[in-house]
Amino acid sequence: MASLPSVVIGNTIKLESEFKRRTANFPSIEKRNSSSSYSDKAFDALSLDFREVESSTYVPLLQKCVENNSLQEAQMIHAHIMKSGKQEDLFVMTSLVNVYGKCGAMEAAHKVFDKLSKRNVVTWTSLMSGYVHNSQPETAIQVFSQMLETGSYPTNYTLGVILNACSALLDFKLGRQVHGYVVKYGLEDDTSIGNTLCNFYSKCIGNLDSAMTAFWRIRERNVISWTTIVSACGDNRNPDSGLYLFTRMLEDGIEPNEFILTSILSLCSTIQAKDFGLQVHSLSIKIGYESNIPVTNSIMYLYLKTGSFTEAKKLFEGLETVSLVTWNAMIAGHAQMMEVSENILSASRNGFEALDMFSKLQKSGLKPDLFTLSSILTVCSNLLALEQGQQVHAQAIKTGFLSDVVVGTALVNMYNKCGTIEGACKAFVEMPTRTLISWTSMITAFAQHGLSRHALDLFSDMRLAGDRPNKVTFVGVLAACSHAGMVDQGLTYFELMKNEYKIDPIMDHYGCIIDMFVRLGRLEEAFEFVNKMEFEPNEFIWSLLVAGCRSHGNLEKGFYAAEKLLDLNPKDPELYVMLLNMYVSAGRWKDVSRLRKMMKDEKVMKLKDWSWVSIKDKVFSFRSDDKCEEIQDLLRDLVERSRKLGYEWKENEEHHSEKFAVVFGLLKMEKRAAIRVVKSTSMCRECHNFVKIVSVLTEREIMVRDSKRLHRFVKGKCSCGDFGSLL
């Protein structure tokens, strides 16, 4: 970790006495005689005559190079400076260092700097600023240390630049040392320094109090100050304080700009403060930001996040021109709403809306970027929309975004969730570089498809590649051990995670260990492990125990686990249906009556059973009372044929919706094409058994994504290992 040189820490370097009286603005390269006739003409470096040019003429011309981001023209002016003999003018050469830095030519900037016969603090600061601007903060800190060791004195701007370098590196220790420098020389009330300190502490997550202290010590807080502290509240998960500070800013008479408006609207989205957001929307219109794209996008996202789809769409359709950023905001908003929807039905509606938006975007003439592609791939994942996902894959190849690690990882997840492990492998192999998230996604994919050996081998490859696993990676590893019944190896990985990688177990890790035990029928050990957990068991844990107990015939423990599950979620209709079925099967009629009374008292809503299947960009939905004659005929035939293979069915029982969706897929899709169904609730055991047998009878791969997991049926076997059906 970088630190200040010992001469600074030992306080042997003193700031010059004039330090605190320096101008409040960093010397601008336009200030020195910028009225030269050359600056008023069309810029042409080739037209310069070195016999006529004064030193002051170069500065505005160099500034135009920055404005045009023209390295070539800067190099031409540099050559002219050398020919005219003006290379000894420190002001001109400092401007040249600055221009090279702004144009991304740091090697050239440093060469100019090294050849200077003398330097001042502005020259040093320009070089440091260039390195920070070009994402080389470590080098900026090295230059800062060299400057101090030569006896040069930093200004408040120098300290601001170096604090930005500390922010980029998240170097809290060095930033604190620079802050000590600021305090010693009484600069905390300087607006620029205070803003930079506030930003530094904001980036070093967990230091919001320090950011607040720096903010309140600023003598004259401007809109940048308020924007920085409001953003700090968002970065540090304290949105309520951000909203309070925004109201304080308005009380102080500071007019908001687009940056603080987007920040505050983002905080409103985080805590779904719709009423506050509506007031911000009104304010933005009042002060002239009605057509500002970033502000409009933030308002639309707030409406989407709070479920106000009509308002969001009205705002979107009212735009005269729609930028790609706006399209992305709408698509990403619907995609994220899928994650927080109350049920799978509303989640799917949001997903289909996102797909429709994506289709309209393509027809608009704009080309999707990597953010569009990654968002729409997430939607395809959740909808099991493989065909659309494959089209996006082709588009990523065509546009060159396949090399982006975000898009590549999104493709791995899409193919995995759509049940195509071969596609996930192909997408993973095609990635030119891999991150921790990429490795973890592929390990998880192998585990979910029951390819445990592949998952564990890939984990070994990841460690050999030097990537350090995180807690999510170990969830995939432990899940792989669970699917394969590798208890001893799973426990070894569990200890490796805790001891070698110092990762504290989370609920998902415990769930994988419990799943290992219940799959092998070691129920006593599973319950013992639950008792040793550091957390109270959640719904996931009790669901595993219920499934294990039912599968292995231990009804008493199953009833106990089911009642615990019901205590955690007393309004979930699926849980009541599951427990009712268990009590009916065991002939425990008093418990059946008790449970029905509880349902009435809790006002539990009736279970909504919906399923849908996508075929050639069209979605077909089904309920449990579907009356289509063609579907009913094939379903009756399949039931009769399934009975010969051990399937049990009572004549008067109602078929559930996934059966109709699967049969429709058999009727309408090409022979041997995989069928992908999404279901609003969990699959029951009877439907699970039926689809397993149908996969044998029809030689089809069938996938059903229910409210709990993906079931992939191939040749009479399910990827869940028959532990995924609770009802």
Side-chain angles (χ1 to χ4, degrees):
M1 180 179 287
S3 61
L4 295 178
S6 58
V7 291
V8 177
I9 298 172
N11 295 321
T12 58
I13 286 183
K14 303 291 184 182
L15 289 181
E16 59 188 51
S17 59
E18 295 295 308
F19 181 80
K20 291 161 78 175
R21 285 187 282 155
R22 285 182 179 174
T23 142
N25 294 306
F26 191 76
S28 170
I29 60 177
E30 292 99 306
K31 282 187 179 177
R32 185 168 153 180
N33 193 16
S34 60
S35 61
S36 168
S37 60
Y38 278 102
S39 65
D40 297 327
K41 299 176 183 178
F43 177 56
D44 182 3
L46 288 172
S47 69
L48 288 171
D49 185 338
F50 69 87
R51 291 172 298 181
E52 301 174 357
V53 178
E54 296 295 327
S55 297
S56 58
T57 303
Y58 289 114
V59 177
L61 295 176
L62 286 169
Q63 175 62 17
K64 288 187 179 295
C65 295
V66 174
E67 293 170 1
N68 299 331
N69 193 28
S70 177
L71 176 61
Q72 183 181 11
E73 290 174 341
Q75 290 169 329
M76 293 167 69
I77 295 174
H78 185 183
H80 200 281
I81 290 169
M82 302 304 292
K83 286 181 181 180
S84 65
K86 300 297 191 295
Q87 63 268 29
E88 293 302 317
D89 189 308
L90 183 58
F91 190 75
V92 171
M93 299 310 284
T94 297
S95 297
L96 189 58
V97 171
N98 176 65
V99 170
Y100 275 136
K102 293 292 191 295
C103 292
M106 285 313 300
E107 187 176 349
H110 213 130
K111 281 183 179 178
V112 172
F113 179 85
D114 287 340
K115 290 179 181 178
L116 294 176
S117 58
K118 56 182 179 179
R119 300 159 186 150
N120 61 18
V121 66
V122 181
T123 316
W124 284 99
T125 304
S126 293
L127 186 63
M128 290 177 224
S129 179
Y131 278 118
V132 173
H133 179 73
N134 288 280
S135 303
Q136 300 179 58
E138 300 96 335
T139 311
I141 290 170
Q142 291 171 11
V143 173
F144 180 59
S145 297
Q146 291 166 13
M147 184 195 80
L148 294 175
E149 289 168 350
T150 62
S152 293
Y153 305 106
T155 67
N156 49 347
Y157 304 99
T158 315
L159 296 175
V161 168
I162 216 64
L163 278 169
N164 284 330
C166 295
S167 297
L169 291 170
L170 300 179
D171 192 336
F172 184 73
K173 183 179 178 182
L174 180 61
R176 290 287 289 178
Q177 291 180 37
V178 177
H179 189 177
Y181 221 147
V182 170
V183 173
K184 182 175 180 181
Y185 294 101
L187 295 169
E188 280 190 299
D189 64 350
D190 178 85
T191 303
S192 177
I193 283 287
N195 292 347
T196 311
L197 275 170
C198 188
N199 179 64
F200 163 69
Y201 285 118
S202 167
K203 294 295 183 288
C204 297
I205 302 299
N207 292 282
L208 182 58
D209 288 344
S210 297
M212 287 284 192
T213 301
F215 171 77
W216 290 117
R217 286 179 179 168
I218 299 172
R219 183 177 61 256
E220 295 180 4
R221 290 180 283 274
N222 58 20
V223 70
I224 298 173
S225 313
W226 290 99
T227 302
T228 304
I229 193 62
V230 167
S231 298
C233 292
D235 292 340
N236 289 270
R237 299 181 181 180
N238 194 342
D240 290 326
S241 294
L243 300 190
Y244 164 74
L245 287 165
F246 182 72
T247 58
R248 280 290 304 269
M249 183 195 80
L250 297 177
E251 289 170 2
D252 284 1
I254 304 293
E255 183 172 305
N257 60 14
E258 71 171 79
F259 303 106
I260 196 164
L261 288 172
T262 54
S263 291
I264 204 68
L265 286 165
S266 175
L267 297 186
C268 291
S269 296
T270 300
I271 57 175
Q272 298 196 21
K274 183 180 176 181
D275 290 341
F276 196 102
L278 286 171
Q279 295 177 54
V280 175
H281 186 185
S282 299
L283 175 64
S284 69
I285 294 171
K286 183 179 179 181
I287 60 178
Y289 287 97
E290 184 175 10
S291 301
N292 182 278
I293 291 175
V295 174
T296 301
N297 290 343
S298 299
I299 293 168
M300 282 195 300
Y301 185 71
L302 168 66
Y303 285 140
L304 289 169
K305 197 77 181 288
T306 54
S308 304
F309 303 109
T310 304
E311 290 91 337
K313 203 164 185 178
K314 184 179 178 181
L315 198 60
F316 177 77
E317 292 173 347
L319 295 173
E320 291 183 12
T321 57
V322 183
S323 69
L324 181 59
V325 174
T326 306
W327 282 107
N328 284 346
M330 286 295 284
I331 292 169
H334 281 95
Q336 293 189 27
M337 280 303 297
M338 293 184 73
E339 306 293 336
V340 297
S341 296
E342 293 182 359
N343 54 60
I344 198 168
L345 191 59
S346 59
S348 296
R349 289 196 187 106
N350 280 306
F352 294 132
E353 186 68 29
L355 288 178
D356 184 55
M357 284 280 178
F358 181 66
S359 177
K360 290 177 180 176
L361 162 62
Q362 292 178 299
K363 293 174 184 176
S364 73
L366 293 173
K367 293 183 178 179
D369 61 10
L370 64 93
F371 301 105
T372 324
L373 297 180
S374 58
S375 291
I376 208 66
L377 283 169
T378 301
V379 171
C380 294
S381 300
N382 293 328
L383 290 178
L384 266 67
L386 179 64
E387 290 181 17
Q388 291 91 331
Q390 289 172 327
Q391 292 170 20
V392 176
H393 190 173
Q395 197 162 7
I397 295 171
K398 185 178 179 181
T399 55
F401 288 123
L402 191 62
S403 60
D404 183 86
V405 69
V406 174
V407 174
T409 303
L411 278 167
V412 171
N413 287 330
M414 185 276 294
Y415 280 116
N416 170 38
K417 290 186 177 181
C418 289
T420 307
I421 192 64
E422 298 82 4
C425 287
K426 185 175 183 294
F428 182 75
V429 170
E430 286 175 348
M431 296 175 69
T433 57
R434 293 172 187 135
T435 63
L436 169 62
I437 298 173
S438 311
W439 288 103
T440 300
S441 296
M442 196 65 233
I443 290 168
T444 303
F446 279 134
Q448 290 177 347
H449 285 265
L451 300 171
S452 301
R453 191 70 266 164
H454 288 71
L456 300 180
D457 287 345
L458 192 61
F459 178 65
S460 298
D461 291 344
M462 172 186 163
R463 295 176 69 195
L464 288 172
D467 284 299
R468 184 182 178 85
N470 64 7
K471 59 181 68 178
V472 183
T473 315
F474 275 103
V475 172
V477 170
L478 293 173
C481 295
S482 172
H483 275 282
M486 301 161 61
V487 174
D488 293 338
Q489 194 163 351
L491 292 172
T492 300
Y493 281 121
F494 188 71
E495 294 301 318
L496 175 76
M497 177 186 75
K498 292 192 298 181
N499 299 328
E500 181 173 332
Y501 292 102
K502 310 301 180 186
I503 296 173
D504 294 328
I506 58 175
M507 195 68 77
D508 286 344
H509 298 136
Y510 288 117
C512 290
I513 300 296
I514 292 165
D515 193 40
M516 292 179 204
F517 286 128
V518 299
R519 283 176 184 268
L520 296 176
R522 294 160 64 171
L523 300 177
E524 292 295 337
E525 291 171 89
F527 278 91
E528 286 176 14
F529 195 80
V530 169
N531 293 331
K532 293 176 183 177
M533 282 169 46
E534 298 176 7
F535 312 103
E536 283 295 318
N538 62 5
E539 291 180 46
F540 173 59
I541 299 295
W542 290 118
S543 295
L544 290 171
L545 292 169
V546 171
C549 291
R550 292 186 74 185
S551 178
H552 295 289
N554 193 327
L555 290 180
E556 287 306 314
K557 285 190 176 295
F559 290 135
Y560 171 76
E563 292 283 0
K564 287 287 186 182
L565 192 56
L566 198 59
D567 289 342
L568 292 175
N569 196 349
K571 291 189 179 293
D572 186 349
E574 283 194 47
L575 298 181
Y576 284 99
V577 172
M578 175 195 70
L579 201 48
L580 275 171
N581 289 340
M582 290 173 66
Y583 283 136
V584 168
S585 298
R588 294 174 55 160
W589 303 111
K590 287 185 179 180
D591 288 314
V592 170
S593 300
R594 174 179 61 86
L595 211 58
R596 284 180 173 153
K597 184 178 184 302
M598 285 177 63
M599 292 176 72
K600 186 176 180 181
D601 293 343
E602 293 287 347
K603 298 180 181 178
V604 176
M605 296 177 65
K606 185 179 179 181
L607 197 61
K608 294 179 180 179
D609 178 24
W610 280 84
S611 291
W612 50 95
V613 59
S614 298
I615 302 175
K616 294 181 179 180
D617 294 340
K618 291 186 178 180
V619 179
F620 301 89
S621 58
F622 303 89
R623 296 190 304 184
S624 56
D625 58 354
D626 196 278
K627 303 297 183 184
C628 175
E629 189 173 333
E630 186 180 18
I631 293 175
Q632 291 283 358
D633 288 344
L634 181 54
L635 180 57
R636 277 192 292 269
D637 178 62
L638 288 170
V639 168
E640 289 304 316
R641 291 165 63 192
S642 297
R643 280 175 164 169
K644 296 175 183 177
L645 296 178
Y647 171 61
E648 296 181 2
W649 168 252
K650 296 177 182 178
E651 288 294 338
N652 295 324
E653 286 189 1
E654 185 180 65
H655 290 293
H656 291 159
S657 62
E658 66 267 42
K659 289 183 180 178
F660 298 116
V662 168
V663 171
F664 184 79
L666 291 170
L667 287 168
K668 302 299 180 182
M669 297 178 70
E670 295 178 7
K671 194 173 183 181
R672 299 196 180 283
I675 297 170
R676 292 174 173 82
V677 173
V678 180
K679 179 177 168 63
S680 62
T681 62
S682 296
M683 287 191 83
C684 70
R685 302 175 83 186
E686 179 267 311
C687 288
H688 193 270
N689 292 335
F690 175 72
V691 178
K692 277 201 306 181
I693 295 173
V694 169
S695 71
V696 175
L697 293 173
T698 61
E699 298 182 350
R700 289 282 193 120
E701 181 181 352
I702 302 171
M703 275 156 276
V704 180
R705 163 74 59 75
D706 68 11
S707 60
K708 305 296 183 188
R709 68 178 75 208
L710 174 70
H711 301 268
R712 184 183 182 220
F713 300 93
V714 180
K715 297 179 180 178
K717 292 184 179 180
C718 179
S719 58
C720 77
D722 295 345
F723 281 84
S725 53
L726 287 177
L727 300 183

